Amino acid sequence: MKPFEVTIDDELFRISERRQPDGGLSYDFAWLNGPAGGAYGFTVGKFAAGSAGHTPDDTARMTEDELLDEVRGFVESFHELGGIGEEDFPEHIPARISGQLEQ
């Protein structure tokens, strides 16, 4: 998968696929206009129960809709009361409020 950018609630993310050291697929979400000068983000992966440590690519691969759902859920939980944003990045103003979509 080629890396691509998405915007959810004016928050800009670059999504890329990566192989973990064990060979499994994962997805990196770089928050380009987020806190810490755009150096903040998260990683997710799908793993099958009972897969003996290796999930086949066809099971681990996420659809674009699943990837967008991950971003949407992250943005919502980051900005909710008691969320990571409030606790760890109180100076960060959501882009939808600040009116800025920065890169």
Side-chain angles (χ1 to χ4, degrees):
M1 172 188 99
K2 289 178 63 172
F4 66 98
E5 294 179 2
V6 299
T7 302
I8 301 287
D9 290 339
D10 295 332
E11 305 295 350
L12 179 63
F13 287 81
R14 178 179 300 119
I15 302 173
S16 57
E17 188 177 82
R18 174 171 57 99
R19 289 252 175 230
Q20 293 291 330
D22 68 358
L25 286 177
S26 66
Y27 296 88
D28 294 320
F29 298 77
W31 192 356
L32 302 178
N33 64 338
Y40 192 73
F42 64 102
T43 299
V44 298
K46 285 174 47 176
F47 302 95
S51 61
H54 183 72
T55 301
D57 285 358
D58 60 339
T59 301
R61 187 159 282 113
M62 297 177 74
T63 67
E64 185 172 330
D65 285 343
E66 289 173 318
L67 296 168
L68 295 177
D69 285 345
E70 291 290 338
V71 173
R72 195 171 291 106
F74 176 82
V75 169
E76 289 171 3
S77 66
F78 184 90
H79 292 302
E80 70 186 7
L81 288 177
I84 296 168
E86 182 178 74
E87 296 292 319
D88 294 346
F89 300 101
E91 73 288 346
H92 179 72
I93 299 170
R96 63 179 160 55
I97 293 171
S98 70
Q100 297 182 5
L101 181 64
E102 301 175 11
Q103 289 189 14

